[in-house]
Amino acid sequence: PNDGTMPTRLLVAHGEGELIFFVARHPRTSDPMMLGRRADSAILEVHRHVPPKAAKASWLVAGLEQVVQDGALYLATPIDPLLLLLPLLERARGGASSLKRESSAGLYKPLSEAFGGDEAGLEQHLTRLSGLSERLRAICDVNDKYGEPMVRLSDPLVLGWLRRKAEAVAAHLRAHAAEQQAAGATAG
């Protein structure tokens, strides 16, 4: 609910339930990005779509009897939290510049050490996700012998994980193209 301190915005989000918004660094560019956490189950990336300047747009919000005048649309789409962790785990491992990977795969470290000063907010939200330690096994070697899981980013695991993600996207695009082609054939 909006208590009047912030302007009303139109947000289309995947799933149901309240979103807790926070800012983190983009994993590739390090630019600030808006994210939302849904309880303990998902992280959503928030995108702002603004109509062209020539177009005048606004939203009539049903139930609030209010018009949102800026016309921007915010979309919240799921993002794999492992994508947000990759650069942090790389840095915690020692990175390419400070560690000769040919001689060592890096040291096991507590996950909390991967988060630096700028990532305190990200740590607070990611560590609340259920099943995060199990998901880390997709990209890390994990040692559970201690109170907190000790992790080490694994290049072979990361490459396999990224390959599976790329193959899933390619399969989805092929299926979508086939559906479009079939729909065009039946319409014509």
Side-chain angles (χ1 to χ4, degrees):
N2 189 348
D3 62 3
T5 58
M6 294 199 45
T8 300
R9 300 286 185 239
L10 184 64
L11 172 70
V12 178
H14 178 268
E16 294 182 17
E18 183 180 353
L19 279 175
I20 300 165
F21 293 99
F22 64 101
V23 176
R25 297 272 173 207
H26 189 280
R28 183 178 51 84
T29 65
S30 294
D31 293 335
M33 63 187 287
M34 179 64 69
L35 298 168
R37 178 176 53 84
R38 190 175 306 284
D40 65 349
S41 62
I43 298 291
L44 303 176
E45 182 178 6
V46 180
H47 303 273
R48 182 175 188 240
H49 175 72
V50 181
K53 289 187 185 231
K56 299 213 182 270
S58 60
W59 297 99
L60 177 60
V61 182
L64 295 178
E65 307 305 322
Q66 182 178 1
V67 175
V68 177
Q69 294 180 359
D70 76 353
L73 175 65
Y74 293 83
L75 301 171
T77 56
I79 184 171
D80 191 327
L82 296 181
L83 288 171
L84 301 171
L85 283 171
L86 274 176
L88 306 178
L89 293 167
E90 174 72 15
R91 187 177 61 225
R93 174 175 69 174
S97 61
S98 63
L99 179 68
K100 296 187 189 289
R101 287 201 196 123
E102 298 83 30
S103 62
S104 172
L107 302 172
Y108 282 93
K109 294 186 178 180
L111 180 59
S112 60
E113 284 189 24
F115 297 98
D118 289 352
E119 293 90 15
L122 183 61
E123 177 182 17
Q124 172 189 349
H125 292 284
L126 290 185
T127 55
R128 291 183 183 193
L129 294 176
S130 60
L132 181 65
S133 59
E134 291 81 28
R135 293 183 77 174
L136 279 168
R137 293 179 190 284
I139 61 171
C140 292
D141 298 320
V142 179
N143 184 340
D144 289 326
K145 295 178 185 174
Y146 306 98
E148 180 179 4
M150 305 289 280
V151 297
R152 177 180 64 192
L153 191 63
S154 166
D155 287 340
L157 290 176
V158 169
L159 290 174
W161 175 73
L162 288 172
R163 185 175 295 116
R164 288 188 299 277
K165 284 195 164 297
E167 289 167 354
V169 169
H172 174 77
L173 292 174
R174 282 192 298 273
H176 182 69
E179 288 173 10
Q180 293 295 321
Q181 188 175 20
T186 59

